[in-house]
Amino acid sequence: MTEEVVVTGIGAVTCHGGGTDALWQAMTAAGIRLPDRPADRLAEMDLPLMNLVPDPDLSAERAARFAAAAAREALADAGLDPDTLSGDGSARAAVVVGSCMGEPGTNERGRGDGGWTPPFRLAGGLAEELGLYGAAHDVTTACSAGGYALGMAVDMVRSGEADLVLAGGSDAYSRVALGCFNRLGAVDPERCRPFEQERAGTVFAEGAGMLVVESATSHRARTSTRPRTGTRPAGARPLRLSGVGWSCDAGHPTAPHADGEQIVRAMREALGGPGGEAGIGCVIPHATGTRIGDEVESRALHHVLGRRVRDVPVYSLKALLGHTGGASAALGAVAAALVLRHGRVPRNIPLDHQDPQCPVWLPQREPVALEPGRRRVLVNAYGFGGSNSSLVLEDAEAAENAEDAAAADGPAADRGRPATRGVAA
Amino acid sequence: MSLPIGIDGGLAVTGAALVLPPDAPGGRAQWPGGPPDDWFDHRTRLGPRGYKYLPAAAQYLLAAARGAAADGGGIDLVPEDRRGSALALNGALAGLFDRMDRQVAAEGGANALSPATAPYFAASVLGSRLAAEHGLKGFALTLAAPGTAALEAVEAGARALAAGRCDALFVGAAEHALPKGAGEPGEQGAAALVLEPPAAAEARGAAVHGLVRARSLHVPPRSLAEGAGRARLTATVTGALDRLLAAAGPGARAPEPHYVLDGSPVAALTRAAVDGVLAIRPAAPPTPGALAPGAPPGAVPLGAGSLAAAVGLVRLVTGEPGDRLLVVAGGRGHIAFVLLSALGRPPVRPHGPEREGNPC
C-alpha cells in the first residue's frame, strides 16, 4: 500500500461552460453569477433556483453527459487516447463516480419515459463508453461523494488493483432534491454566498469534475515510451494526490457536529500527520453558505492550521459555481489542480461583509501566488448523513524548486494584509 | 492458528444477519407484486419510539445491523473513530422519491413535503441512524449499483480497512419496494455483515463464519455483440477470478460456485467463464448451501436492487462451512465475486439466519 498516486489529467463541466479553461477563466474573472430558474413547470417550490450548466435539455441524461465530457477532457489532458486505453490495459483501468442523485431525470415525473431506471449508472455508463473492463463503482455519499470516489481511487491504486482510475463526480438538476432543499429552508434566495454574514443557505448547481488518477509507476512507464499528446499546458507536471481522509459525524442526518471533531480528523488524515499542514498554500473549503456549516468548518480550519490560518488563502469555489453536490469535491480537486498548475490562488468573489464567526482569509482583491514549499492544496467536502472527506493535492517537484514560483502571475498583493472586513487577521 | 491479514488474506466475518419478509403463501420465494406492507413492525423490531419516520429501508437496515452485532460482530470493541460502514442500495428510496416528486409536482408543492423525510433525497442518509446507533465514525461509504452493490461494498470496505481507514467494518444492503409503475416489485429487506481483520477476531476469541475476499469488474454489454467482445469478457473474468483464487493460497481447491444472475448475455458468459476456471481445479467436496449449486442461470434471480447478492452472501457465510464462490452478474455489465474461505471449524451462530424472515 505504498504506491505513489498521481493525477495526470483533469476535466470539468460547470455552469460557466465545458472545460477546465472555462473554469479557470471564471475563477480568474471572479464575477458574480446569479442562479437560474430551471424550465420545469412542475417545480412547485418557493425558490426554484439552481446554477445550471448551459445545456437546455433538462430531460436527457445530463449527469452522464457531463461526466462523459469531463472524463474525455481528463483523458486527453493526461495524454491518453480512449481507443488506446480500451486496449490491453483496460482491465487495469477502473471508474469511480460520486454523485448525490445519480441520473434522476428519467424517474422524475414528466421528464422520463415512465417506469423506473436505476439512477446510479454513471460509472457503468462511462466504462461502457470508454471500453474499460476494470471495476466501475457509483458512490453516493451525498455531497461528499466526489471526495469518497477519489479516496477509493487512491485505495485501488495503492493496493495494486488498478493502474489507472477515472475518478470524480457528477450531479445534475433534480426536482426532488431541489424541492427537499426548499422544504428544509436551506436555499439562499440571492445566490451561493459562503462566509457572507447575510448568507441564507446554499444554491445547488450542476456540474462534473473528473480526474485521471494513476500509479506513478504506471504513469512513468507509459510516458517514457511515447511522447505526450494531451492538451495539458507545457511544463505542467503530474500532481501528487498525497492523501485522502474520511470520517463520519454519526449523529444528525443533516447538520455537522458542532465540535467539528470528525472533520478535523478527516483533514488531518489527508494532510498525513503532524506537520502536514506546513506546506498548505491554499484551502478549497466545503463551505456551502449554510450558517452552521461555514462556522464549523472555519473553526476546524483554525484547529488544523493553527496560527497559519491567518496566511493560508481560502478559495471559495462554491461562491463561483454554486454547490455542485456529489461533484463538489471532484470540482474542488480540479480547481486545486488548476491553482497548482498556474501557481496562484485566484481572488475570491468579493463579499459584502464576511461573517466574523468565519475568520478565515479570503483574498478578494488580488490573486495570491503560491510560495515554494507551500504547493499543497487542501480540499474539503461534507455531506448529509455525516459523510466527511478531505484530500490533498500537491506539486511536490515545484515545492522543491523555488524557481518555479509562477513568474508571470504578479505579486501576492493580499499577503500580509488584514484578510477582509470582519476577519480576525 | 495464525490467520492472514489484509485484503488479500481476506476479512473475517464475525456477524451476519438478514431481515426479510416471510415466504409467500405456498412456500414460494417471492410474493407476486411484492410482499404486504405490514410484515415489518418497527415498534417491535426497533423500539417503541423514534423510528416511525425513518424510511422502511432504513428501518430494515437498523434491524439487520443489530442482528449482525448480536451475532458476534465485535464492532463495538474498537474505538468509534475506527468503525467504518460500507452500505449498498439501488432502489431503496425510489418509492419515497416518487412520492416526494408527486407532492412537489402535483400535491401542494415542496411545502407539502415532510421535513422528517426530506433529507433522504440524499440516499446515503439511509445509513445516518445506523451510524449514530453504532458509533460508526470511521467513515460512511455508500455504493449504488444494480445487482452488485453489496459485493462492491464488501470490496471497497475491505480495501479501506486494508488501507488503514478503520479497524472494523459494517457492510449492509437495504431495499424497499419500487414505485408503482416501475415494471417490477423490487426487493424488500436488509442484510448486514460485520467484517474484521482475522487477527483481531482471533485475538478476542470471536466465532468466525469464514474469510471473504471480493472483487468486481464491469464489461461493456454492447461489446458482447461481437466475438472479440465475448472473448474479452471471458479473458477478463478468468483473470480476475484466477487472481482471487490465487489469494486463497497455492493449490487451493475449486470452491463450490453459487450464482445470482439474470437472463442477460453478460450473466451467461460470466457463468461459462467461471465454470471454465473452476473446471481445471480439483473440486472441493460439495456442501449443502442455501443457494443451489449447478442451478441454471436465473434460478437465483438477480433482483432489481442490491439485495439478492447480499442475501446470498449472508446465507453462504452462515451456512455449513465450506469454500464457496458467489458470482453475481447482470445485463448492465456489473460482475462481482466473493470468495468465502472456511476456517476448518464450524461457525458458532447464536443469532444466525434463524432471524431471517422472523415475522415479529
Side-chain angles (χ1 to χ4, degrees):
Chain A
M1 305 286 285
T2 56
E3 178 64 75
E4 183 181 352
V5 182
V6 293
V7 169
T8 57
I10 55 174
V13 173
T14 72
C15 61
H16 296 282
T20 53
D21 285 348
L23 174 58
W24 181 248
Q25 285 172 17
M27 290 170 74
T28 51
I32 290 173
R33 185 193 189 283
L34 298 177
D36 305 293
R37 287 181 173 258
D40 178 1
R41 60 182 176 79
L42 297 179
E44 289 291 333
M45 57 193 77
D46 295 336
L47 296 169
L49 304 176
M50 191 167 187
N51 287 6
L52 300 175
V53 168
D55 179 336
D57 185 357
L58 280 184
S59 67
E61 304 234 328
R62 292 173 74 82
R65 205 161 61 239
F66 302 157
R72 286 191 175 277
E73 184 189 12
L75 289 172
D77 188 40
L80 285 160
D81 180 344
D83 292 336
T84 305
L85 192 63
S86 63
D88 293 340
S90 63
R92 303 277 302 159
V95 181
V96 189
V97 181
S99 182
C100 182
M101 301 303 294
E103 197 67 84
T106 47
N107 293 324
E108 292 186 348
R109 219 158 294 276
R111 295 209 289 144
D113 56 0
W116 180 80
T117 306
F120 293 101
R121 53 184 188 277
L122 302 178
L126 266 183
E128 167 104 35
E129 181 174 331
L130 298 170
L132 307 182
Y133 283 73
H137 297 303
D138 275 275
V139 184
T140 178
T141 47
C143 298
S144 64
Y148 272 79
L150 286 162
M152 285 177 61
V154 168
D155 291 350
M156 294 167 85
V157 170
R158 285 183 176 163
S159 69
E161 292 175 48
D163 295 328
L164 182 152
V165 185
L166 199 49
S170 182
D171 253 314
Y173 170 66
S174 162
R175 183 191 303 132
V176 170
L178 194 49
C180 288
F181 235 59
N182 267 264
R183 181 64 184 90
L184 294 169
V187 180
D188 191 314
E190 187 172 324
R191 58 185 172 85
C192 193
R193 298 179 291 170
F195 304 114
E196 182 69 67
Q197 190 165 17
E198 301 302 320
R199 67 190 184 279
T202 195
V203 171
F204 274 135
E206 295 186 312
M210 295 298 298
L211 299 92
V212 176
V213 178
E214 291 191 72
S215 78
T217 303
S218 171
H219 174 253
R220 278 192 296 269
R222 75 174 174 85
T223 53
S224 66
T225 56
R226 58 190 170 86
R228 229 185 55 80
T229 57
T231 59
R232 191 148 36 94
R237 292 171 294 271
L239 301 168
R240 184 186 294 167
L241 184 50
S242 61
V244 178
W246 294 348
S247 69
C248 177
D249 277 327
H252 195 278
T254 60
H257 201 285
D259 64 14
E261 179 182 350
Q262 290 305 317
I263 66 173
V264 165
R265 189 169 67 79
M267 278 192 264
R268 287 183 170 152
E269 190 174 307
L271 289 166
E277 74 282 358
I280 293 295
C282 175
V283 174
I284 297 178
H286 180 67
T288 62
T290 61
R291 186 146 298 280
I292 295 174
D294 293 8
E295 289 181 12
V296 170
E297 188 174 10
S298 299
R299 287 199 297 271
L301 284 170
H302 277 254
H303 278 292
V304 171
L305 299 175
R307 296 174 61 85
R308 283 216 52 224
V309 75
R310 297 178 178 182
D311 66 353
V312 174
V314 173
Y315 180 73
S316 175
L317 186 64
K318 290 181 180 68
L320 182 79
L321 303 181
H323 182 5
T324 50
S328 67
L331 280 166
V334 169
L338 291 170
V339 165
L340 290 164
R341 283 183 182 179
H342 290 273
R344 68 181 189 273
V345 183
R347 64 189 177 102
N348 282 275
I349 289 179
L351 282 73
D352 288 335
H353 299 94
Q354 186 170 342
D355 185 349
Q357 299 302 312
C358 303
V360 293
W361 181 32
L362 291 151
Q364 294 164 64
R365 293 187 293 276
E366 299 288 344
V368 178
L370 288 177
E371 296 177 4
R374 288 187 176 184
R375 297 179 76 97
R376 309 184 83 204
V377 181
L378 172 68
V379 180
N380 293 334
Y382 313 128
F384 277 13
S387 301
N388 309 314
S389 70
S390 294
L391 62 90
V392 171
L393 202 63
E394 63 186 22
D395 184 347
E397 290 181 55
E400 295 163 1
N401 182 359
E403 293 182 1
D404 187 63
D409 290 332
D414 272 321
R415 184 167 301 287
R417 297 182 182 179
T420 58
R421 283 175 289 176
V423 174
Chain B
M1 181 174 58
S2 179
L3 299 172
I5 298 174
I7 187 168
D8 286 338
L11 290 176
V13 181
T14 55
L18 295 172
V19 171
L20 295 173
D23 285 344
R28 286 177 298 185
Q30 291 187 316
W31 292 81
D37 290 336
D38 60 355
W39 67 271
F40 184 94
D41 182 348
H42 63 83
R43 289 178 295 274
T44 55
R45 297 297 292 266
L46 299 174
R49 295 179 188 279
Y51 301 98
K52 179 178 179 180
Y53 296 108
L54 293 180
Q59 296 175 349
Y60 305 156
L61 181 65
L62 274 177
R66 288 183 186 181
D71 186 37
I75 201 157
D76 59 332
L77 299 178
V78 302
E80 291 188 340
D81 285 357
R82 304 296 300 164
R83 306 174 191 171
S85 67
L87 305 181
L89 56 85
N90 190 39
L93 298 171
L96 174 64
F97 282 14
D98 189 63
R99 287 197 299 278
M100 293 196 296
D101 190 37
R102 188 172 61 244
Q103 287 179 292
V104 172
E107 297 177 0
N111 289 331
L113 294 170
S114 160
T117 54
Y120 289 88
F121 78 85
S124 57
V125 177
L126 179 86
S128 66
R129 186 64 175 267
L130 173 71
E133 195 162 300
H134 293 273
L136 307 176
K137 294 182 177 177
F139 60 83
L141 179 63
T142 304
L143 292 154
T148 54
L151 303 197
E152 292 179 43
V154 174
E155 179 186 28
R159 197 188 289 125
L161 194 150
R165 299 188 189 280
C166 68
D167 293 329
L169 179 72
F170 246 129
V171 172
E175 296 291 349
H176 186 52
L178 296 178
K180 290 179 180 177
E184 51 187 324
E187 300 174 310
Q188 288 202 42
L193 298 162
V194 177
L195 306 181
E196 303 173 52
E202 183 181 36
R204 70 182 180 86
V208 177
H209 291 297
L211 302 181
V212 290
R213 301 170 179 84
R215 288 291 185 276
S216 70
L217 55 97
H218 181 276
V219 299
R222 279 199 302 254
S223 71
L224 304 184
E226 299 176 359
R230 295 190 291 274
R232 192 72 186 278
L233 179 148
T234 300
T236 305
V237 167
T238 299
L241 192 51
D242 279 341
R243 285 191 294 277
L244 189 61
L245 294 172
R253 301 174 77 87
E256 183 182 80
H258 297 261
Y259 297 94
V260 178
L261 307 170
D262 63 13
S264 67
V266 173
L269 289 165
T270 297
R271 179 179 177 138
V274 171
D275 288 346
V277 170
L278 299 183
I280 61 173
R281 290 171 180 263
T287 54
L291 299 178
V300 181
L302 191 69
S306 62
L307 203 53
V311 170
L313 179 56
V314 170
R315 286 179 173 166
L316 287 180
V317 300
T318 55
E320 294 301 316
D323 295 341
R324 286 100 179 266
L325 176 70
L326 180 63
V327 181
V328 183
R332 290 186 177 273
H334 293 282
I335 300 169
F337 313 106
V338 166
L339 179 64
L340 171 68
S341 302
L343 292 177
R345 62 176 186 263
V348 179
R349 301 191 310 275
H351 302 286
E354 67 275 16
R355 288 173 172 260
E356 171 185 332
N358 182 352
C360 310

